[in-house]
Amino acid sequence: MKIIRQLPEMQAYAEQQRALGKTLGFVPTMGALHEGHLSLIHRAKKENHQVIVSIFVNPTQFGVNEDFDQYPRNLEADSALAKEAGADVIFSPIASDMYPAHFSTRITMGTIAEGLCGKYRSGHFDGVAIVVNKLFHLVNPHRAYFGQKDAQQVQVIRQMVADLNMRVEIIACPIIREADGLAMSSRNAYLSEKERVSARLLNQALLKGCQYIKEGHENPQELHQMMKEFLESDPQIQIQYIEILHPTTLEPVSTLKTPLMIALAVFIGNTRLIDNTIID
Amino acid sequence: MKIIRQLPEMQAYAEQQRALGKTLGFVPTMGALHEGHLSLIHRAKKENHQVIVSIFVNPTQFGVNEDFDQYPRNLEADSALAKEAGADVIFSPIASDMYPAHFSTRITMGTIAEGLCGKYRSGHFDGVAIVVNKLFHLVNPHRAYFGQKDAQQVQVIRQMVADLNMRVEIIACPIIREADGLAMSSRNAYLSEKERVSARLLNQALLKGCQYIKEGHENPQELHQMMKEFLESDPQIQIQYIEILHPTTLEPVSTLKTPLMIALAVFIGNTRLIDNTIID
């Protein structure tokens, strides 16, 4: 497996592989790899000749009071995991190469980035858009793989790719969960033992929501209230949002008619966790 | 010569040519082709296997009170001129394909887009950035050719390409002038016979400015004043700006040390004209 740190080397490698007729699968990550990331690498490996995994803790997608400094970084361990999962290249650029002194371009995404996490993480999706835009130009992949756990991120990227006519197929992959249902996340590592127990309630709340919809209820406010009460039964959980939406437009629905997405964000202690589920 | 109107057809054509090892030169235009455009096509033809000329009057780069409706459109005449100059493909997309109903991505460029024309044409360079970004993804050229007459546009595009790591070489080509020195522009067609006579003063003012610098003067304010008085000697001319700048950063200079750019914008009647010159 190759490790590339320089931007021009990454572009040259991609160009060379394309000239050889190879298809390129791309898994952009911020490192701290878990089974969720590895599932993306496995899928990319099945569908492409070469798999490139980027590891870059992108400063522009963190807010001023967020966990940029604290975010776990371990290039060596991540590289070993990625290699074992099938990565052919680790691309790990340096922040000052990605954002040099005179960097000034901004990408803003409109309504798709305004609800859900966008409402609470000002500038987050602008940061996601710019880094993914740059990475797509650097890696030049045929297909790029994202986890459905970051459901709004997937839609933001789909919107950008469509609007800018970028030639890359966006593939969203299912959420991977721990045995007790907690969605895999690099931020789970922040949880204390006690908080980790509380974190199980996120998936339980979503399952209760699905059940409620399948029973034929029609009122999103009642569903919201039911899930709110369930989560608030644990005093460690602070709800940021529970939203019932259309799964691609991310617009709130007025009646519980499928397809639907239930998405939620909570704080447990200082750790912010998100989760979601789609009901087809 | 091929005429392409559909976006997927353009992308497929570019991909196919690249697979055959052909280099692609791209000349983006809004039509109303003149000798300036044709010089770009000639240059692109010399340096690439295939030349693609886009003709698209881009709505997002016109302000509400500007000349979008009035802008000259004649695809047939333009196609004939482009073909004669060496174009292999005319790409003339439809506005509703470029900007469908749910289009929402915006690109903003920072300080490079704020001075000069950017100060007077709110949103203009955002519109330029978005359309050029899209066209680069649609045409996927090795090299793209722009006229130095739109000096700020060239720098805005260079900045976007660098910031977003887009893989296209930007080539700025010299201003082409009429026999009496007026810079070629599609908007010259708006001038009455009398206004056309006044328009000669733009280039004359720039020549006087160059002369002034070559004489060893050091004070930009005095140069500005001299050019202002010269242009105002014609009551038909309304100055919008005269700026003395560094030619790549476009930052105003405090002393007349080369390299320098003098850039100006004026109204003659209802017609806005720009011109510039670089002193190395």
Side-chain angles (χ1 to χ4, degrees), chain A residues 155-176:
Chain A
Q155 296 307 328
V156 162
I157 290 163
R158 285 193 195 282
Q159 175 92 43
M160 177 179 74
V161 164
D163 282 356
L164 299 183
N165 309 103
M166 301 184 84
R167 293 163 316 124
V168 52
E169 188 185 347
I170 303 302
I171 295 162
C173 301
I175 299 174
I176 305 295

Side-chain angles (χ1 to χ4, degrees), chain B residues 133-150:
Chain B
N133 189 294
K134 286 169 67 68
L135 289 168
F136 283 177
H137 290 133
L138 290 162
V139 174
N140 198 8
H142 295 81
R143 299 176 191 87
Y145 298 80
F146 294 87
Q148 182 59 35
K149 204 202 80 187
D150 298 304

Side-chain angles (χ1 to χ4, degrees), chain A residues 7 11 15 102-110 130 133-134 137-138 140 159-160 163-167, chain B residues 7 11 15 102-110 130 133-134 137-138 140 159-160 163-167:
Chain A
L7 277 44
Q11 288 189 312
E15 195 155 323
H102 294 290
F103 188 92
S104 73
T105 303
R106 267 192 72 189
I107 299 179
T108 46
M109 295 304 307
I130 200 93
N133 190 294
K134 287 170 65 69
H137 290 133
L138 289 161
N140 197 9
Q159 175 92 43
M160 177 179 74
D163 282 356
L164 299 183
N165 309 103
M166 301 184 84
R167 293 163 316 124
Chain B
L7 278 43
Q11 288 189 311
E15 196 155 322
H102 293 289
F103 188 92
S104 73
T105 303
R106 267 191 71 189
I107 300 179
T108 46
M109 294 306 306
I130 200 93
N133 189 294
K134 286 169 67 68
H137 290 133
L138 290 162
N140 198 8
Q159 175 93 42
M160 177 179 73
D163 283 354
L164 299 184
N165 309 103
M166 301 185 85
R167 293 163 316 125

Side-chain angles (χ1 to χ4, degrees), chain B residues 9-146:
Chain B
E9 188 185 351
M10 186 65 246
Q11 288 189 311
Y13 182 85
E15 196 155 322
Q16 172 208 331
Q17 291 299 314
R18 277 188 170 250
L20 294 170
K22 306 293 186 194
T23 54
L24 306 179
F26 178 41
V27 181
T29 83
M30 299 208 301
L33 300 187
H34 52 63
E35 289 293 331
H37 299 110
L38 302 182
S39 76
L40 304 179
I41 301 174
H42 290 138
R43 171 91 183 263
K45 190 69 179 176
K46 266 190 210 146
E47 298 179 349
N48 302 276
H49 296 113
Q50 288 264 314
V51 176
I52 296 130
V53 176
S54 69
I55 297 181
F56 179 61
V57 184
N58 173 40
T60 64
Q61 72 188 73
F62 287 82
V64 280
N65 294 317
E66 292 184 356
D67 57 342
F68 176 70
D69 289 332
Q70 187 192 356
Y71 203 86
R73 291 161 171 88
N74 190 337
L75 185 57
E76 208 170 320
D78 286 334
S79 299
L81 287 169
K83 182 178 179 182
E84 205 185 311
D88 299 284
V89 175
I90 296 282
F91 175 46
S92 177
I94 295 149
S96 60
D97 289 340
M98 290 291 275
Y99 301 109
H102 293 289
F103 188 92
S104 73
T105 303
R106 267 191 71 189
I107 300 179
T108 46
M109 294 306 306
T111 51
I112 197 83
E114 286 166 10
L116 297 168
C117 296
K119 197 169 160 184
Y120 300 95
R121 303 189 68 190
S122 172
H124 171 66
F125 288 113
D126 294 1
V128 168
I130 200 93
V131 78
V132 172
N133 189 294
K134 286 169 67 68
L135 289 168
F136 283 177
H137 290 133
L138 290 162
V139 174
N140 198 8
H142 295 81
R143 299 176 191 87
Y145 298 80
F146 294 87

